[in-house]
Amino acid sequence: GFADKDIILLADSLSDTDAARPADGMPTRAAIMSAMEKLARDAQPGEQIIIMLSGHGSQAPITDKASLVHHPDGLNPIFLPIDIGKWNDAVGAVENAIAGDEFGVALAAIRKKGAFLWVIVDACHSGTITRGAEQGVLAKKVGPAVLGVPPERLEAARQMAAAAMPKSRGNTAEKPKPSSPLGASPQADGGYVAFFAAHPDELAIQRNLPKGYGGGEKRPHGVLVFYLVQALRTGRAQSYADLAQMVLAGYDQWGATAPSPLFEGDLRAGLFGARAGEAKTYPARIASGQLIVDAGVLDEVSEGALISLSAASDSAAQPLGYARIKEAGGSFSVAEPVPNREVPAPSLKTLDETGRLTAKIEERGLALEMRVAMPEHKENFSPREANAYAAIQALAEGSDILPKSIRIEPASGTADIFLKLANDRLWIANSDGEIITAGRRQTANLSLQRFKDIPSTRDEIVKVLRGQFKVRNLIKAAESMGAGPASQSLEIKAAIARSEPGVLSANAKAPDDRACAKPMMDRLPEHTTPLAGPSELPALAHCDIVYFTLRNTGKKVLDATPLYIDGGGAIDYMGPPEGLRLLPGAPPRIIPITIVTWDSKRGEPFPIGLERLLFIAVEQEDKTSLPADFRYLRQPAPARNAGALGGSNALHALLQEAAFGTGGARSSSAGPNLGAAGIAQFRWKVTAPD
C-alpha cells in the first residue's frame, strides 16, 4: 500500500530481477545512512515507517568498554554495504561498515518524531561465507577474517568482555541476557517492532524455497523474507505477534538446531494494513480442463486445503460448491471439485459457465509426509556403515515396515532430513544437510556399533525415521491447526525463573553437571520474568524453570494435555499423573518445566536447540465426559534410542494420522470437523555452556 514516491530502494543488480521498478541507487554506506536521515526529517507523528535490510552481516571487536552494556560478548554486529572495506586498525573499525549501535541511533531519530517503526533485518552477524551447493543453502554471512580483522583483536575483545562479566557465588560466570542485534533498542516516542533473521550468535540463511515450488521449481529466498511474505499474503495476521508466530512456524521445519528468528518491540500492536474480520478470497477459473486458483504456497495454500467457490459477482451468496487443492505451486494451485457438507461436487462445466469465480480457504491443508535423502555411497565404508547403507537402500526400494509417507530418495535439495554415514554412525541432519560431529550442538545420530547385520540395522533405522516422522508431523499439525476455539476459554500465562549457578562438585564432567532445585508446585517464585506470549523465543539454560499458569475462563470443562518436545525429538507428558482437567471457575493450575541440559545419571548431555511445549486442549460437555488424553503420543528421542481416548474424534484422527498414519494431504484447520479443540504452543532455545 505504499506509493512509489514514499519508497527509497537501494539495491544491487535489481535490473536482473523481475522487479517492477528500478533502484534509487546502490546500497552504499553513505546512501543507506542518508536514506535513514531523510526518513527522520520527513517522519510525522502516527506515520508508519518500514526499514528492511537484506544482505550480509558480520562481527567486529568492540574497543570501547562502555559498549559492553549492549554487547556483552565483546563483538559488535555490523551490516555490510556494497562498498565495504577492510579492517582499519588505526580507528578500530571495518571501513564503511554500519554497526548495530549506529542503526540504533538512526532509528531513535525517526521514533522521536512520533512515527511507528518496523525494522526487518535479513542478515547474520558471524562466520565465514559458505555454500552447500548440493542442498541450495547460502549463509548470509561474512567472517571477520575475510574483512581483515586481526584474530588478536577479536581475542582481546572477548577477554575484555569476560573480565567485565559479573561473577556469582560459586565463582561461576553468570551469562548475561542476550541483547538485541541493534544494541540498545531505539527508545523514543514512536512505536517500534523489529524482526531479525537470526539471533546475534547465529547465521541467517538463504534456501531454495518453497519445497515443490511450481512442480519442482525452486528459487533462492532468504528464509525470514519468504515466510514473512507468505504470512502477509495470507491476511490472517492481525498483530505483529500473529505475524511473528507465523514466521516461527515456517522456521520450524528446518529442525531444532537451525537458526531461529528474533523479534522485539511492541509485538502486540496492530499490524499495519491488517483488516480484521475480512475473509481472504482469491480469483479462480477453468483453464485447459482444470480448476485453477490464483493462490499457492506463497499464500499458505497447500495440498489438501479445502476451498469454497462462489461467483465473483456474488461472493456473499451460498457457495457454488467446494474443491480440494491437489497441486500447489508458488502463486497458483490446481483444485479438484469435491462434495462437502451435503453439497455435491460442482462440475467443471457448471463452474466454467459461471464465469469469474472467487475461492476462499475453508480448511488449510497439511501434508503429512517426510522426504528423506539417502546418504552418499562411499567406497571406504566400514562394515557397519555398509550394512546401514544396504538397509537404507532396501527401504528406499520399498518396504511394508516403513509408511509410504516416509519417502527415501536420492540426495536432493528438497528433503526434510538428510542421512549421512561417517565414524560408524548414522547422522540425521536437518534440511541443510550439514552435520556437526562434536560439541554440544552435535547433530542427532545413531551409533551403529551394536548392530551386526543388515536386518537389525534396518529395524533401528526404521524406529529413528518413524520417530522423526512423528515429531515433525505433530508440530505441523499444531501449527496448521492453531489454538482453536478452546483458546477462548484456556488462559495460559508463562514466566521464567532463572537458575542461580551453583558450586560444581570435584567430579563434575561439565559446567552443567549439577542438580537443579525443585520447582514450586503451588505458586510462582518471587522473582520471575513473564513471557510476552507464544511469539517470544527466550534463550534458556540448565536449571531454568518455566512456570505455566492455566485457568479455564469459559463455561465448559476443558481437558489439556501438555506435551514437551525436546531438541532431540523426544516427546514427554508434563502434566499430573491423573491428567489435567480444568473446571470452569476453578483455581489456576501450575505446570512447572525444568530445563535440563545434562543427564547426570548417564553422564552425558541432553539435546539442545529449539524446544517447545504443546497444550492440546479439548472442550468437554461436562465433568462426566470421558477424558481427552493424548499422553499416548510420548516417545524417546528417535536418534538417542534406537490407549482409550474421549473427546474430539476428529482431533484424535488427525493426531493419530500425524503421528502414526500413512500420511498424505488432508485438512487440519480447527473448525466444525475438529470440534472445540486446539493446540497452543510455546517455544524457546535451549543453550548449553561452551
Side-chain angles (χ1 to χ4, degrees):
F2 287 90
D4 256 8
K5 65 181 179 62
D6 295 326
I7 300 173
I8 302 171
L9 177 56
L10 306 173
D12 173 34
S13 302
L14 193 67
S15 59
D16 296 340
T17 75
D18 57 0
R21 56 163 286 179
D24 297 313
M26 295 294 279
T28 63
R29 173 189 166 86
I32 294 170
M33 299 306 291
S34 175
M36 289 199 288
E37 290 170 4
K38 183 179 188 304
L39 288 172
R41 289 195 304 271
D42 297 345
Q44 298 295 320
E47 287 186 335
Q48 171 81 42
I49 291 179
I50 297 176
I51 296 177
M52 178 186 167
L53 301 166
S54 180
H56 290 291
S58 189
Q59 290 177 309
I62 286 175
T63 56
D64 178 13
K65 287 186 178 181
S67 299
L68 292 175
V69 174
H70 305 309
H71 305 291
D73 59 356
L75 302 177
N76 197 1
I78 57 176
F79 186 78
L80 310 184
I82 198 167
D83 58 341
I84 191 69
K86 292 282 188 177
W87 172 263
N88 186 332
D89 210 49
V91 297
V94 176
E95 293 177 349
N96 291 336
I98 305 178
D101 293 334
E102 290 184 277
F103 274 125
V105 172
L107 301 179
I110 296 171
R111 290 188 60 199
K112 285 179 181 176
K113 302 293 286 291
F116 188 99
L117 181 62
W118 183 18
V119 181
I120 305 162
V121 183
D122 187 12
C124 57
H125 309 107
S126 64
T128 56
I129 293 178
T130 60
R131 185 193 256 310
E134 182 183 34
Q135 285 77 46
V137 178
L138 174 66
K140 298 164 72 71
K141 53 177 180 159
V142 173
V146 177
L147 301 172
V149 180
E152 57 270 20
R153 280 284 196 173
L154 293 169
E155 182 58 29
R158 292 189 181 101
Q159 290 183 6
M160 179 176 64
M165 188 178 295
K167 304 292 182 179
S168 70
R169 57 187 176 84
N171 201 33
T172 304
E174 258 187 274
K175 189 174 182 179
K177 183 179 179 180
S179 62
S180 162
L182 298 179
S185 298
Q187 301 297 320
D189 296 333
Y192 165 73
V193 169
F195 283 33
F196 301 100
H199 280 58
D201 58 345
E202 293 180 332
L203 312 177
I205 48 178
Q206 175 176 299
R207 300 187 190 269
N208 287 336
L209 287 166
K211 298 176 180 180
Y213 189 13
E217 176 190 1
K218 303 180 297 294
R219 296 181 184 176
H221 297 278
V223 172
L224 171 69
V225 173
F226 178 84
Y227 291 117
L228 181 60
V229 169
Q230 184 186 66
L232 287 169
R233 283 171 62 125
T234 66
R236 290 195 293 116
Q238 298 300 312
S239 67
Y240 292 95
D242 293 341
L243 198 63
Q245 289 187 57
M246 295 173 72
V247 170
L248 275 170
Y251 268 72
D252 277 342
Q253 67 177 296
W254 304 111
T257 58
S260 53
L262 176 65
F263 312 102
E264 65 179 20
D266 187 11
L267 296 174
R268 295 183 181 181
L271 177 63
F272 176 73
R275 293 172 174 83
E278 289 189 14
K280 187 83 170 180
T281 60
Y282 305 96
R285 64 192 186 281
I286 305 298
S288 302
Q290 291 184 311
L291 173 57
I292 306 298
V293 181
D294 290 335
V297 179
L298 287 171
D299 305 283
E300 210 180 41
V301 174
S302 57
E303 293 180 14
L306 182 71
I307 61 173
S308 59
L309 298 164
S310 305
S313 59
D314 194 12
S315 59
Q318 283 290 105
L320 298 171
Y322 296 85
R324 185 81 65 184
I325 302 295
K326 66 176 185 178
E327 180 183 337
S331 55
F332 75 94
S333 300
V334 179
E336 183 177 24
V338 296
N340 185 60
R341 301 175 193 168
E342 300 182 355
V343 178
S347 68
L348 293 181
K349 180 181 178 182
T350 300
L351 295 175
D352 195 17
E353 292 174 350
T354 303
R356 293 175 58 243
L357 299 167
T358 60
K360 183 173 70 173
I361 303 298
E362 298 291 339
E363 296 176 358
R364 297 191 300 280
L366 180 62
L368 298 174
E369 63 177 12
M370 184 175 74
R371 300 179 65 180
V372 181
M374 285 276 298
E376 295 180 9
H377 184 269
K378 298 178 181 178
E379 296 297 331
N380 60 344
F381 274 151
S382 71
R384 294 186 180 92
E385 292 169 355
N387 284 345
Y389 185 85
I392 297 168
Q393 193 170 39
L395 291 171
E397 292 170 356
S399 172
D400 293 337
I401 64 173
L402 197 64
K404 292 181 180 179
S405 50
I406 301 178
R407 295 157 52 189
I408 302 179
E409 305 170 345
S412 67
T414 57
D416 295 300
I417 61 175
F418 285 80
L419 301 180
K420 306 280 185 176
L421 286 167
N423 305 327
D424 265 353
R425 291 180 179 273
L426 176 66
W427 302 85
I428 299 90
N430 293 328
S431 296
D432 58 8
E434 298 295 322
I435 62 172
I436 301 173
T437 59
R440 299 298 289 269
R441 293 181 61 84
Q442 187 181 75
T443 302
N445 63 88
L446 174 68
S447 174
L448 303 174
Q449 295 184 4
R450 56 194 177 96
F451 308 114
K452 297 181 179 180
D453 54 29
I454 293 176
S456 62
T457 307
R458 178 204 60 197
D459 292 345
E460 197 65 24
I461 291 173
V462 168
K463 289 181 184 179
V464 169
L465 294 181
R466 281 183 174 274
Q468 293 282 347
F469 175 81
K470 179 178 176 180
V471 72
R472 286 172 177 269
N473 281 337
L474 284 178
I475 292 172
K476 283 183 184 179
E479 287 162 350
S480 182
M481 182 178 168
S487 65
Q488 299 173 9
S489 302
L490 178 59
E491 178 187 85
I492 306 176
K493 294 182 179 180
I496 301 172
R498 298 285 180 179
S499 67
E500 284 288 336
V503 179
L504 296 176
S505 64
N507 59 352
K509 296 182 178 180
D512 48 350
D513 183 7
R514 57 185 175 85
C516 299
K518 290 184 178 181
M520 295 182 177
M521 304 302 295
D522 57 345
R523 58 188 175 87
L524 268 60
E526 185 177 350
H527 300 291
T528 60
T529 303
L531 288 180
S535 60
E536 188 171 348
L537 194 68
L540 301 181
H542 185 66
C543 292
D544 286 348
I545 302 175
V546 187
Y547 287 90
F548 290 92
T549 305
L550 281 67
R551 191 162 67 96
N552 184 351
T553 61
K555 296 181 179 180
K556 290 188 176 183
V557 173
L558 281 176
D559 285 335
T561 306
L563 295 178
Y564 191 91
I565 302 179
D566 75 8
I571 305 173
D572 203 4
Y573 172 70
M574 305 304 293
E578 69 276 12
L580 189 58
R581 172 157 284 185
L582 304 171
L583 302 179
R589 299 288 296 272
I590 294 178
I591 303 294
I593 306 295
T594 302
I595 304 301
V596 181
T597 59
W598 185 267
D599 187 343
S600 297
K601 292 183 180 179
R602 301 175 62 173
E604 61 183 37
F606 279 119
I608 59 173
L610 181 63
E611 303 191 348
R612 74 195 70 219
L613 188 68
L614 306 181
F615 288 97
I616 305 176
V618 177
E619 192 175 79
Q620 302 280 28
E621 286 301 318
D622 53 49
K623 292 189 291 184
T624 64
S625 300
L626 187 66
D629 192 337
F630 297 90
R631 73 181 82 184
Y632 68 89
L633 296 172
R634 290 178 292 189
Q635 73 172 20
R640 299 189 73 213
N641 300 285
L645 178 75
S648 171
N649 290 329
L651 176 64
H652 170 45
L654 169 64
L655 296 182
Q656 279 281 105
E657 189 75 12
F660 313 110
T662 56
R666 60 168 292 159
S667 62
S668 64
S669 302
N673 289 352
L674 292 180
I679 306 178
Q681 66 173 309
F682 291 79
R683 307 172 179 87
W684 43 78
K685 294 283 283 190
V686 175
T687 62
D690 294 333

